[in-house]
Amino acid sequence: LLEFLRVRRILEPAATAMAAERITAEESGGLRTLLDSIGPDPAAEELVANDLEFHRRIVACSGNSVLSSLLESMSGPTTRARVWRGLTQTGARARTLAEHRAILDALAAHEPEVARSWATVHIAGVEQWLASIP
């Protein structure tokens, strides 16, 4: 599972930076609506479902179908770990929501390097949490 996350940490920030260069106002508005739809304190399962869709849409905005396919195939194996983190790690849900907003703000501002950085931080947080479990 950690290997999936490590590869995701390499690929997804690149896709997010590509998306920041190409994203339309309509697409970023759709992402904002998606984030708003779950409210400030979602259940872990609801947050993970929203998280999966959020990342899927961003990668689709990269315009690279091969990258989209690769990242989609890597998403499934990490789903349970993401739910478990949401249930067990204090503050994980609020942190996820805040990081999603930061990624979205960078995308909407067409700031590829800021978007890449936030995506890296976001994925690395899950990776670090998983690595810390005995």
Side-chain angles (χ1 to χ4, degrees):
L1 195 55
L2 274 171
E3 289 179 359
F4 275 101
L5 286 167
R6 288 179 180 136
V7 173
R8 186 175 165 226
R9 182 171 37 90
I10 294 166
L11 297 177
E12 194 162 331
T16 304
M18 291 166 64
E21 295 172 347
R22 301 173 46 92
I23 196 165
T24 66
E26 183 179 331
E27 289 165 331
S28 62
L31 285 168
R32 195 164 308 282
T33 299
L34 178 67
L35 293 182
D36 291 345
S37 72
I38 60 169
D41 191 27
E45 295 84 357
E46 182 184 14
L47 178 60
V48 170
N50 189 279
D51 179 74
L52 291 170
E53 180 63 12
F54 180 75
H55 291 284
R56 186 194 65 72
R57 289 187 192 185
I58 291 171
V59 173
C61 288
S62 76
N64 187 311
S65 62
V66 174
L67 190 53
S68 293
S69 179
L70 283 170
L71 285 166
E72 182 70 28
S73 70
M74 298 182 72
S75 186
T78 65
T79 301
R80 274 196 228 169
R82 291 151 101 177
V83 171
W84 184 245
R85 179 181 181 227
L87 291 170
T88 62
Q89 187 183 37
T90 303
R93 289 183 235 180
R95 188 168 38 258
T96 296
L97 292 170
E99 289 168 359
H100 281 182
R101 294 281 177 195
I103 292 167
L104 176 55
D105 289 345
L107 289 168
H110 300 283
E111 292 282 351
E113 292 309 313
V114 176
R116 179 192 313 269
S117 297
W118 274 113
T120 302
V121 165
H122 182 60
I123 296 163
V126 178
E127 184 184 340
Q128 287 178 327
W129 169 79
L130 188 60
S132 73
I133 297 174

